[in-house]
Amino acid sequence: MNNVITELLQADDLIFSPPKFNSRTLTNGIKVQSYVKHHLPLVQFSLMLKGGNKYDLRSKQGTAYLLAKLIDEGAGDYDNYQLSDMIGKLGASISVDCGNENINFNLLTLSENFEKVFDLLLLILTKPRFNDEDFEREKKSLLIFQNQIKKYPDFIASRLIPLFIFDESNPYSNSSFGFSNTVETISKSDVVEHYNKFLSSKNIAINIVGSFDEANVLSLFEKRFESLPKFTPIPQYDYAYSEMIGKQVVVIDNKNALQSEIRIAHSFPKRNLKNIFSNSILNLIFGGDFSSRLNQNLREEKGLTYGIGSQIVNYLEASYFNAATSVSTDESFNAVNEILNEMQKIKIDITEKEITDAKQKIKRNFAMSFETLGDAINLLKNKTYFDLEDNFYDNYTASLDLVTYDEVKKNANENLKPDDCLIIIAGDKEKILAQFSNSEYKNIVISDVEGNIIQ
Amino acid sequence: MVELLKINYDKYKLNNGLEVILYQDKSNPIVALDLLYNVGSRNEKRGKTGLAHFFEHMMFQGSANLEKGMHFKLLNQVGGVLNASTSSDYTKYWETVTSNYLELILFLESERMGNFIPALTQEKIQNQIDVIVNERLENYDNQPYGLSSEKLHAMMFTEDHPYSWPTIGYINDIKSFSIEDTKDFFQKYYSPSNATLLIGGDFEKEKTIKLIEKYFGEIPSNQEDLKNEVLVPENSTKSKLKFEYEDKVELQKLSLAWHIIKSTEEEDVILDFICLILTGSKNGRLTKKIIYQEEKCSSIDATLYSRKYSGLFIVSAKIRHEFNAEEIKNEILTELVIIKKSGIDEDEFIRALNNYKTGFLLSMEGISSLCTNLNRFNFYFNEPDLLNKFYKTYCGITNDDIIRVANKFFDDSFCEMIIHPMRGANE
């Protein structure tokens, strides 16, 4: 039977060329990336405006998030219900979300209605009403949300990682929707100021995919974006990490919790075109999918968890490594040790076959990552976010092939840090501390759900 | 539009009873396999709840010719994606790969359908019991509001109704699964005659038919007719009940739920339409009033759960501290009374219809999700090509239809559940 499997795996490799993404720059400097695909009469459009949560003042974290929530609550002559009604009647959707770098305006519509819906999006972008009443409602809603999320241990554990990994001066330590005390201080004028600071053609990038006439759309963009302000300066930052020496355990109490949420994280070299492929291979082997070492050990061999995974989280200017799982409270200590042991092991022991298999998996999956309009727009947004070269996806598999065994081995050995890492555990404090007492873990602090050290 | 939603498919049966559906679409070099077994938690008995879901896990534990973990490993190796899911009505397994690996996924699915039992061990069973106990803790017991669906179903159905227990099962039942339970369940329900194999995407038809015969044709079948195995007891739904409990949550949650029994396909479509009118957008009647204008709740959702034996129509709201469940309940009921009396207005019609139009087109994207829909339609209606028909039904809905259906189902027999924040949990 092994022969059968070998034979089936040796199916001729698919010859796949990535679809053609076009890239243009409008007269006012806005970069437009497009991908025309006529299989369905739909268009997806995204406008990325610099001004995400990393630009929030530390004392007013949540400002950019509130801006994203508020900006589509009425624009021009229309209040929020009228806008929603017009968008709905066109069978379209417009949403606005906030990332760390950008505020993202997303649009989905039938092709025949693109221009009308695009004009509504433009109205939202350029003539938001910012009504007092809408602001108060959205702020109140965000404050209630702050209290709601405190009850979600998985969320709490993940949310605190950047806070501890990055230095206070590093804007990536900002929480995307802030904390109760920072949101309380945000006024409507803070939101409007944030908006005015970033709205300019220099800060905008556009991606569009689906069934549309490219020439018409470009001409429409030229006309409609003509009157945008041309330039606003963007703040510059220092992207420093907190110094992490030894194992720093942070416990967040969730009394009588049945499970502990565990995160093990540390800084990682900033993503660049040289290390990105090696990082993907390393993470895939370690904790990137079901067959990874972490999942095989903690789930399939020991039954300690429903699932475990790791990732190398990449921001534009900084990166960090993170392994995440949840286990029954009594197994917290064992699970932490198992994860750290796996990190130690992969630093010194990684095989050529693992690397070859991981490369193959990424390459073979590549053809499937262009299937839907949603897939395509995400690839374009990724290109915009990291300012990747136009031929990045054309060279993707060739770049992957160039990664050597030694590079991945060196990457694991030098950059995984089981001895100098952050260990966050959200669960029943008393039971967790009992497991960690008399152990090698000496640096243990208790934090509240917002990252304030209380013990 | 209607032409776009037309699905041309072939449907036939192998000699062992395996139903096969082929849907060709060569727009991307991708092929999807969707294998649906006609078994879900409805086929379980009290004391062994969660067995169908347990099987979903066990099917990845290896078979006579595949070691444990190999199914995932081989799929990962070729860059494929895969998973499985269990509902109260059915269990399904799916893989999506580039089209050159179709034969591999046919082999993998046939291998566990035909050779599962010889590789079964107590160790594997215990391992997956541990995993599922953790799954239950992670997704239900340790999550705010995580037990709400389980408790609502337990309130609304008598103990002998198969929808009264959760698909994941109760912890003590999960811990009790034995090697005999597993074998019996597999032999009864994982027969080719109790399954539908759907292949969609980029493949050569003749070659694929031969491959399906090669891999599945010789798997023995028990030929049991299990379609009507589950007999839902008479009077097994409960109405006009109120249940309250405390949980580690921030906001009180109110759920009002109506049984949707013996609804037609068209009535389900109309009820779906009503969900959209109530909470489908900022202009949804309840959303606009309760979330935006009165700011009494942080969220409100109306949902229709359609299933084989009966459905539920549920409206749930998370209520801000300064308001109470009784007033929110009255507001929901008032809105339903208005719909029962006058239906909906022209603007609401246009919004809902156009929204559906885009939604239908989107559901054509992505071969894996399309195949999931086709196999689900086939399971419930014995016809995969229903997008078209549903679209026509939506377009034909009238205000009289809405009034009729609202009056048929929204009576005063609803059940009410309130989840209160646990005292002291906020400190």
Side-chain angles (χ1 to χ4, degrees), chain B residues 81 89 100 133 145 175 185 220 226 303 344 349 380:
Chain B
V81 289
D89 290 343
N100 50 334
V133 167
Y145 310 108
K175 288 180 178 171
F185 197 87
L226 297 166
T303 318
I344 65 174
F349 250 113
Y380 283 114

Side-chain angles (χ1 to χ4, degrees), chain B residues 258-276:
Chain B
W258 285 261
H259 286 288
I260 304 297
I261 299 166
K262 290 181 182 163
S263 60
T264 64
E265 209 177 291
E266 188 214 9
E267 285 168 343
D268 277 357
V269 167
I270 293 166
L271 286 166
D272 220 16
F273 203 91
I274 292 174
C275 289
L276 207 60

Side-chain angles (χ1 to χ4, degrees), chain B residues 15-180:
Chain B
N15 286 338
N16 57 13
L18 177 70
E19 186 175 50
V20 178
I21 300 169
L22 301 176
Y23 165 65
Q24 210 173 31
D25 172 3
K26 297 201 163 203
S27 52
N28 289 296
I30 298 170
V31 66
L33 180 157
D34 194 279
L35 181 56
L36 185 149
Y37 288 93
N38 173 36
V39 57
S41 56
R42 71 191 160 97
N43 301 87
E44 297 160 357
K45 299 277 178 281
R46 285 247 161 209
K48 292 291 174 188
T49 64
L51 199 47
H53 171 259
F54 171 71
F55 243 83
E56 179 203 320
H57 282 245
M58 288 308 295
M59 288 290 273
F60 290 100
Q61 295 302 303
S63 48
N65 300 301
L66 270 186
E67 283 172 28
K68 174 182 160 108
M70 283 305 282
H71 193 111
F72 266 101
K73 205 167 181 182
L74 291 169
L75 247 297
N76 286 338
Q77 217 169 315
V78 301
V81 289
L82 71 159
N83 214 329
S85 69
T86 313
S87 72
S88 40
D89 290 343
Y90 57 79
T91 311
K92 58 193 292 173
Y93 302 83
W94 69 88
E95 289 90 10
T96 307
V97 289
T98 49
S99 40
N100 50 334
Y101 290 110
L102 171 60
E103 188 168 351
L104 174 70
I105 56 178
L106 288 171
F107 161 73
L108 290 174
E109 283 301 348
S110 68
E111 173 60 21
R112 56 186 177 184
M113 184 189 273
N115 294 312
F116 172 76
I117 295 284
L120 196 57
T121 65
Q122 189 56 47
E123 193 188 354
K124 288 178 183 174
I125 288 175
Q126 190 53 51
N127 170 255
Q128 288 308 305
I129 287 173
D130 293 341
V131 169
I132 294 170
V133 167
N134 273 301
E135 180 182 358
R136 197 190 140 101
L137 294 177
E138 183 179 332
N139 291 343
Y140 302 92
D141 300 275
N142 206 40
Q143 279 294 324
Y145 310 108
L147 295 174
S148 65
S149 174
E150 178 174 323
K151 289 187 184 290
L152 186 76
H153 281 79
M155 170 173 61
M156 296 195 71
F157 296 96
T158 57
E159 278 201 1
D160 49 359
H161 193 295
Y163 292 162
S164 67
W165 55 81
T167 300
I168 194 161
Y170 297 114
I171 284 218
N172 286 339
D173 292 358
I174 296 166
K175 288 180 178 171
S176 78
F177 297 150
S178 65
I179 206 156
E180 288 72 30

Side-chain angles (χ1 to χ4, degrees), chain A residues 197-424:
Chain A
K197 203 187 318 181
F198 290 95
L199 182 70
S200 91
S201 54
K202 185 179 162 49
N203 293 339
I204 287 175
I206 285 173
N207 296 302
I208 178 166
V209 302
S211 179
F212 56 91
D213 182 296
E214 202 158 23
N216 286 350
V217 156
L218 284 170
S219 137
L220 179 75
F221 292 164
E222 279 288 1
K223 272 187 248 161
R224 297 291 203 273
F225 286 113
E226 204 177 12
S227 58
L228 276 181
K230 299 285 184 289
F231 177 75
T232 51
I234 286 182
Q236 299 300 310
Y237 300 101
D238 173 22
Y239 296 95
Y241 295 89
S242 298
E243 199 177 358
M244 193 77 65
I245 298 169
K247 296 169 183 132
Q248 165 82 64
V249 181
V250 177
V251 176
I252 302 131
D253 193 21
N254 183 13
K255 206 173 176 185
N256 298 325
L258 301 167
Q259 279 200 317
S260 294
E261 286 289 340
I262 296 172
R263 306 289 181 271
I264 295 185
H266 59 70
S267 62
F268 210 80
K270 181 184 156 187
R271 173 199 184 287
N272 58 47
L273 283 176
K274 270 196 92 170
N275 68 17
I276 177 177
F277 295 99
S278 161
N279 287 352
S280 299
I281 294 166
L282 172 61
N283 187 58
L284 194 58
I285 297 166
F286 184 67
D289 71 13
F290 194 91
S291 304
S292 67
R293 291 185 180 196
L294 276 184
N295 199 56
Q296 287 306 306
N297 178 351
L298 275 86
R299 175 180 153 135
E300 291 301 291
E301 283 170 32
K302 302 199 169 66
L304 291 175
T305 178
Y306 173 49
I308 181 165
S310 69
Q311 55 182 158
I312 294 164
V313 179
N314 292 310
Y315 297 149
L316 184 60
E317 304 290 352
S319 301
Y320 67 84
F321 164 84
N322 173 33
T325 191
S326 55
V327 299
S328 61
T329 307
D330 295 342
E331 298 290 356
S332 308
F333 183 72
N334 285 344
V336 167
N337 283 333
E338 286 298 334
I339 298 168
L340 294 175
N341 285 341
E342 286 295 343
M343 287 168 76
Q344 291 288 5
K345 270 198 255 173
I346 202 167
K347 277 171 77 74
I348 50 171
D349 172 27
I350 190 163
T351 66
E352 291 224 45
K353 183 170 183 337
E354 283 178 303
I355 291 169
T356 310
D357 287 352
K359 274 186 186 181
Q360 275 189 345
K361 184 206 159 148
I362 298 170
K363 276 163 67 179
R364 288 167 172 170
N365 186 260
F366 187 60
M368 300 207 296
S369 55
F370 295 84
E371 187 189 7
T372 65
L373 295 184
D375 294 334
I377 202 129
N378 284 336
L379 290 170
L380 287 177
K381 281 164 89 170
N382 186 53
K383 225 170 136 245
T384 306
Y385 181 98
F386 290 110
D387 196 19
L388 300 172
E389 307 223 325
D390 281 340
N391 59 4
F392 178 75
Y393 293 120
D394 298 327
N395 297 338
Y396 192 87
T397 52
S399 306
L400 194 70
D401 278 333
L402 289 176
V403 178
T404 65
Y405 169 71
D406 288 340
E407 275 170 358
V408 181
K409 198 175 172 187
K410 190 171 173 226
N411 193 357
N413 186 262
E414 288 181 0
N415 297 322
L416 284 174
K417 299 173 187 165
D419 295 323
D420 300 302
C421 62
L422 169 72
I423 301 164
I424 293 178

Side-chain angles (χ1 to χ4, degrees), chain A residues 76-132:
Chain A
D77 294 334
Y78 310 116
D79 67 22
N80 53 355
Y81 307 118
Q82 289 168 322
L83 261 182
S84 166
D85 179 57
M86 287 189 291
I87 296 165
K89 280 179 177 161
L90 292 166
S93 66
I94 292 178
S95 64
V96 188
D97 64 71
C98 176
N100 47 38
E101 297 291 339
N102 304 297
I103 293 174
N104 305 299
F105 295 74
N106 312 297
L107 177 164
L108 167 70
T109 179
L110 299 169
S111 299
E112 66 198 50
N113 295 333
F114 175 71
E115 187 170 342
K116 287 178 196 160
V117 185
F118 169 73
D119 280 341
L120 288 174
L121 186 144
L122 206 61
L123 196 68
I124 289 168
L125 174 74
T126 57
K127 292 192 168 59
R129 281 188 163 188
F130 292 139
N131 277 347
D132 289 341

Side-chain angles (χ1 to χ4, degrees), chain A residues 127-138:
Chain A
K127 292 192 168 59
R129 281 188 163 188
F130 292 139
N131 277 347
D132 289 341
E133 194 186 311
D134 292 329
F135 171 76
E136 290 306 328
R137 187 191 59 245
E138 291 306 323

Side-chain angles (χ1 to χ4, degrees), chain A residues 5-25:
Chain A
I5 296 170
T6 312
E7 216 171 278
L8 293 173
L9 285 173
Q10 280 169 352
D12 291 338
D13 258 333
L14 193 81
I15 298 165
F16 173 76
S17 307
K20 188 168 162 41
F21 291 160
N22 291 323
S23 181
R24 306 276 166 81
T25 304

